[in-house]
C-alpha cells in the first residue's frame, strides 16, 4: 500500500509524454501565430510556409485527442481548432488593412469560435470547465489582438511584452489540457 501511494506522486513516462505533446502544440500555436502576424503584415516571403504550418497545427490536436477519445471526437476538436485558427488569421488580415468594421466582426467570430471550442472540451472531459476554457481563450484573444495592433503600429517593445503574456497563457492552457487528459485517462484504468 505504501509503495502504491509513493508511486502515485510521480508522473509516468506516458503521462509526461502527454504533457510534452500538449505543451508543444500550444507553444507552436503561440510561435506560429506570431510568425503569421509578422509575415502577413509585412508580406514576407515565408508567408505561404507559415500559413501552411499554422493550418496544419490542428492535426497535432487530432493526433492527441484520437488517442483518448477516438477519431470522431478528435475530428471535432480538429475542426473547432481549425476554425479558431482561421478566425485568428481573419482578424490579422482585417487589422492589417485598418478596416475597423471588418475587424470587429471578425473578433466577434473569434470569440464565438472560442465559445464553441470551450463548450466542446468541457463536454468531453469532466476535468475541464467551460468557463475556465473561455477565460483562457478570451485572455488569449485579447492579448493576440493587442499584439497584432502592436505589430501594425510597429511598436516592437509592446509586441515583445505581449508575446511573453501569450506564452504564459498558452502554457496555462497546455497544462490545464494535459492535466485533464491525464486525470480522464486514470478514470478509465481499472484498479
Amino acid at each position: 500500500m505504501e509503495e502504491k501511494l509513493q508511486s502515485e506522486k510521480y508522473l509516468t513516462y506516458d503521462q509526461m509524454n502527454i504533457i510534452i505533446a500538449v505543451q508543444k502544440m500550444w507553444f507552436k500555436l503561440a510561435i506560429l501565430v506570431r510568425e503569421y502576424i509578422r509575415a502577413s503584415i509585412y508580406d514576407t516571403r515565408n508567408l505561404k510556409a507559415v500559413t501552411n504550418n499554422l493550418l496544419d497545427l490542428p492535426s497535432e490536436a487530432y493526433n492527441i485527442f484520437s488517442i483518448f477519445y477516438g477519431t470522431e471526437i478528435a475530428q471535432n476538436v480538429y475542426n473547432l481548432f481549425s476554425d479558431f485558427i482561421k478566425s485568428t488569421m481573419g482578424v490579422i488580415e482585417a487589422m492589417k488593412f485598418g478596416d475597423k468594421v471588418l475587424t470587429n466582426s471578425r473578433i466577434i467570430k473569434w470569440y464565438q469560435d472560442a465559445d464553441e471550442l470551450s463548450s466542446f472540451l468541457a463536454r468531453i472531459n469532466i476535468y475541464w470547465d467551460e468557463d475556465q476554457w473561455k477565460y483562457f481563450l478570451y485572455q488569449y484573444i485579447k492579448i493576440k489582438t493587442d499584439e497584432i495592433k502592436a505589430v501594425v503600429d510597429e511598436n516592437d517593445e509592446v509586441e515583445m511584452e505581449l508575446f511573453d503574456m501569450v506564452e504564459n497563457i498558452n502554457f496555462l492552457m497546455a497544462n490545464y489540457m494535459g492535466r485533464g487528459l491525464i486525470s480522464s485517462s486514470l478514470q478509465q484504468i481499472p484498479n
Side-chain angles (χ1 to χ4, degrees):
M1 178 69 167
E2 178 70 30
E3 194 172 299
K4 183 180 181 194
L5 288 174
Q6 191 68 15
S7 68
E8 289 177 1
K9 292 180 184 180
Y10 302 100
L11 293 174
T12 66
Y13 180 78
D14 290 337
Q15 291 169 338
M16 197 64 218
N17 281 337
I18 293 165
I19 291 169
I20 291 168
V22 172
Q23 285 178 341
K24 180 181 173 190
M25 180 187 73
W26 284 103
F27 186 70
K28 280 177 79 172
L29 178 67
I31 296 295
L32 287 172
V33 170
R34 179 175 189 264
E35 193 64 32
Y36 181 82
I37 292 168
R38 300 183 72 70
S40 177
I41 290 171
Y42 299 128
D43 199 28
T44 62
R45 63 181 176 80
N46 68 339
L47 178 59
K48 184 176 180 179
V50 172
T51 301
N52 290 340
N53 277 290
L54 185 56
L55 291 175
D56 190 50
L57 189 58
S59 63
E60 290 188 26
Y62 178 91
N63 292 336
I64 293 166
F65 277 79
S66 65
I67 294 167
F68 295 95
Y69 300 105
T71 57
E72 185 177 334
I73 287 176
Q75 186 62 50
N76 286 330
V77 171
Y78 176 93
N79 294 341
L80 292 167
F81 199 36
S82 291
D83 290 345
F84 186 78
I85 289 171
K86 288 174 186 172
S87 286
T88 307
M89 296 166 83
V91 170
I92 294 163
E93 179 182 311
M95 289 180 79
K96 172 183 178 177
F97 295 110
D99 187 330
K100 291 183 192 286
V101 173
L102 184 60
T103 296
N104 289 337
S105 69
R106 288 186 175 176
I107 289 172
I108 290 168
K109 171 76 168 95
W110 200 5
Y111 279 105
Q112 289 169 343
D113 290 339
D115 288 346
E116 289 180 30
L117 182 57
S118 298
S119 175
F120 187 76
L121 291 174
R123 282 196 313 269
I124 64 171
N125 189 311
I126 62 170
Y127 297 98
W128 292 330
D129 179 71
E130 182 175 350
D131 290 332
Q132 183 63 58
W133 274 116
K134 282 182 182 180
Y135 173 79
F136 285 144
L137 292 172
Y138 285 14
Q139 290 297 310
Y140 174 85
I141 291 169
K142 170 68 174 109
I143 296 165
K144 272 298 178 189
T145 304
D146 291 344
E147 184 183 355
I148 298 163
K149 184 179 181 330
V151 174
V152 169
D153 295 344
E154 298 182 358
N155 192 337
D156 299 331
E157 190 172 311
V158 169
E159 177 201 353
M160 288 308 302
E161 290 171 13
L162 291 164
F163 183 70
D164 286 343
M165 293 169 68
V166 166
E167 278 187 317
N168 290 335
I169 196 73
N170 281 31
F171 185 74
L172 292 172
M173 287 190 286
N175 286 330
Y176 187 66
M177 181 175 276
R179 285 192 318 266
L181 289 171
I182 290 168
S183 296
S184 177
S185 70
L186 290 175
Q187 293 299 316
Q188 298 170 9
I189 299 171
N191 292 332

